[in-house]
Amino acid sequence: MKFISWNVNGLRACLKKGFLDFYQQEKPDFLCLQETKMSQGQAELELDGALEFWNSAEKKGYSGTAIFTPHAPLDTAYGMDREPHDHEGRLITLEYEAFYLVCCYTPNSQNGLARLDYRMEWEDELRDYLLSLDKTKPVIYCGDLNVAHQEIDLKNPKTNRNNAGFTDQEREKMTVLLSSGFTDSFRHLHPDAEGAYSWWSYRFHAREKNAGWRIDYFIVSDRLKDKIVRAEILSQIEGSDHCPVLLELEV
């Protein structure tokens, strides 16, 4: 099965930049989106009859997630049923016979780390949520997780130390998650790959210079890691300040 995750930084804008061509070319089993910045029905989507699952923020034009798939789930969940985390449209879970698929748009700690304390609460609650799912069946967890885990995951680690997305606290939360029974699929297959980034600032010609960060992930339950066929960063695909990331699994 082919899974793709993409922070589109506004789906309506991305639709004008080749989104549907990309979808038709790849024809993924699951396309997970973050930062849709819209509600279902606000744009015309030609998805060959794919089922659409949307979790939009209460605040208009902000955040939001969606999953498009031809595969009907056994069950769906929006958010993690915990205050105060379910108002910004950041989480969708689809249940299937063999796995749970969780699409996530992790809160950014923001300038001056204004939201770091909240981010830490989110990380702990989200990890508990994933572990509760994992007790039942394996989990495929993906999205813009807003953290570069290791120094290899961004171009300029020294100058970005303790900036949002590369604080010791955020990186430690990722370490704790991975040590709790989960595998970073890209690093599993490409442990030493350098210059592999999924987000670039719009400033300073960052993408042209490949001065980026790897903050978009597919993370799977450890018992799925031997079923990983491909884990790639589709850096050639434009349309957003993020590029899509891809996972192929034998499930």
Side-chain angles (χ1 to χ4, degrees), residues 180-191:
S180 301
F182 295 92
T183 295
D184 176 348
S185 62
F186 182 81
R187 283 293 169 219
H188 179 64
L189 293 189
H190 312 282

Side-chain angles (χ1 to χ4, degrees), residues 47-64:
L47 301 172
D48 293 336
L51 301 170
E52 302 178 27
F53 302 90
W54 295 76
N55 191 5
S56 301
E58 293 174 4
K59 178 181 177 182
K60 300 296 184 185
Y62 176 73
S63 186

Side-chain angles (χ1 to χ4, degrees), residues 4-11 13-14 17-19 22 31-37 63-64 90 104-108 119 142-148 153 164-165 196-203 206-207 210-217 232-246:
I4 292 176
S5 177
W6 193 6
N7 179 322
V8 290
N9 192 12
L11 181 54
C14 197
K17 301 174 183 177
F19 174 86
F22 170 74
L31 178 60
C32 301
L33 304 182
Q34 303 87 43
E35 208 171 357
T36 54
K37 298 183 179 179
S63 186
R90 294 185 177 274
C104 179
Y105 178 35
T106 300
N108 190 297
R119 168 70 178 267
C142 70
D144 174 3
L145 305 188
N146 261 317
V147 60
D153 293 318
Y197 308 129
S198 63
W199 173 80
W200 304 262
S201 170
Y202 280 132
R203 304 170 65 195
R207 190 161 189 169
N210 198 29
W213 300 47
R214 188 176 75 94
I215 59 176
D216 300 87
Y217 296 80
E232 303 292 343
I233 298 174
L234 306 181
S235 56
Q236 76 279 11
I237 302 300
E238 299 184 350
S240 169
D241 52 347
H242 295 248
C243 72
V245 295
L246 177 148

Side-chain angles (χ1 to χ4, degrees), residues 224-235:
L224 290 179
K225 67 183 178 183
D226 292 336
K227 299 181 182 298
I228 298 171
V229 179
R230 288 175 64 204
E232 303 292 343
I233 298 174
L234 306 181
S235 56

